[in-house]
Amino acid sequence: MLFIHVTVPAHTAAVEFVDGTPVRVLESGRHRRARRATYREVDLREQLLSVSPQEILTVDGVQVRVSAAVRWTVADPIAWLERAADPLGLVYLATQVALRDAVAGLTLDSVSQRGAGLDAATLTAAVDATARPLGISVLEVVVKDVILPTEVRAATLELATARARGAAQLESARAETAALRSLANGAKLLDDHPALARMRLVQSAPFGTQLVIKLGDEAANDA
C-alpha cells in the first residue's frame, strides 16, 4: 500500500474514511495516510448558536418572548459527521424545548428580569443530553432577552414613573419641613434676643433706612 502524508490544521480534527467507513480521528499535525483514504476536517473551536425569540406562556398565563445563545464545541468528530444530517438543527430544537419547559413553570415576575428565574445549569444539562449523542458538547446556555408584552411594559413604566414621582414629592416635603423648622428656630431665637432682632432688621433694610434705624436706637439709648 502506497502512503503519502496529510496535514491537519491547528484547532481542527480530521476524520479518516476508508471505503466510506470512518476509521480514525487525526489530531492537528502531520500524519501518514493511504491513497484509498479520504478525510473530512472538523473545526474543534468553541462556537455560538443563537436561538431566536420564541413566544412562551408563563404559569400565570402571560405570553413572553425569550431568546438564548448556546456555547458549544465538537466533542466527537465521527458522531458529528455520522449521527445526524443537521446536528445543529437538533440542538436548536432542544434549546427551544428546554426554554419552553423552564419558562412554563415560572411566573411573570420570575422571568421578567432577563430570565432571573431560569436556572442556566439546568438548561445547559437538558440541551447537552440531546447534543452529546450527536458529538456536540454544550458548554453553556445563556438567556439573552426576555421580551414582555406591550401592555406589561407600559404598566411597568407607569409604576416606575409613579414611584419616582412619589420619591420626588417626599423629598420636596422633607426639604419644606426642614425649612419651616429652621424658620421656627430662627423666630424663637429673635424672640429671646431683641437686640439680635434689631440687628437683623438693620442688616435687611436699605442703607438709608439703616441710618434712620441706627439714629433712632441711639436716641432711645441716650434717653
Side-chain angles (χ1 to χ4, degrees), residues 196-206 210:
L196 184 60
R198 288 195 298 271
M199 183 182 300
R200 183 71 183 87
L201 179 61
V202 171
Q203 290 176 343
S204 61
Q210 290 181 8

Side-chain angles (χ1 to χ4, degrees), residues 202 206-216:
V202 171
F207 178 75
T209 308
Q210 290 181 8
L211 182 60
V212 173
I213 294 174
K214 184 176 182 182
L215 291 175

Side-chain angles (χ1 to χ4, degrees), residues 98 163 188:
R163 287 176 177 172
K188 185 177 184 304

Side-chain angles (χ1 to χ4, degrees), residues 63-77:
Q63 193 172 65
V64 297
R65 299 179 67 204
V66 183
S67 65
V70 181
R71 291 175 48 233
W72 65 277
T73 186
V74 174
D76 184 345

Side-chain angles (χ1 to χ4, degrees), residues 27-170:
E27 299 178 351
S28 59
R30 193 163 181 260
H31 304 270
R32 193 173 66 170
R33 55 164 280 186
R35 285 191 180 276
R36 291 169 49 201
T38 59
Y39 296 86
R40 291 183 62 181
E41 293 183 356
V42 177
D43 193 335
L44 299 180
R45 291 174 295 182
E46 181 179 318
Q47 300 186 57
L48 194 65
L49 173 65
S50 293
V51 179
S52 301
Q54 62 170 330
E55 296 183 348
I56 307 174
L57 281 177
T58 61
V59 72
D60 42 7
V62 179
Q63 193 172 65
V64 297
R65 299 179 67 204
V66 183
S67 65
V70 181
R71 291 175 48 233
W72 65 277
T73 186
V74 174
D76 184 345
I78 294 179
W80 163 257
L81 294 175
E82 294 289 302
R83 294 290 176 83
D86 183 13
L88 281 184
L90 296 176
V91 173
Y92 189 101
L93 177 61
T95 305
Q96 287 185 314
V97 173
L99 283 173
R100 187 174 299 276
D101 291 344
V103 173
L106 298 175
T107 64
L108 176 64
D109 290 339
S110 299
V111 298
S112 59
Q113 301 297 323
R114 287 182 58 86
L118 298 174
D119 186 354
T122 301
L123 287 174
T124 301
V127 179
D128 189 63
T130 299
R132 280 286 174 178
L134 306 175
I136 298 173
S137 173
V138 175
L139 306 176
E140 185 180 18
V141 177
V142 179
V143 176
K144 291 172 57 180
D145 297 298
V146 176
I147 305 171
L148 305 180
T150 304
E151 298 80 4
V152 175
R153 294 200 302 269
T156 302
L157 177 60
E158 184 177 349
L159 178 60
T161 303
R163 287 176 177 172
R165 187 181 298 112
Q169 291 175 347
L170 178 60

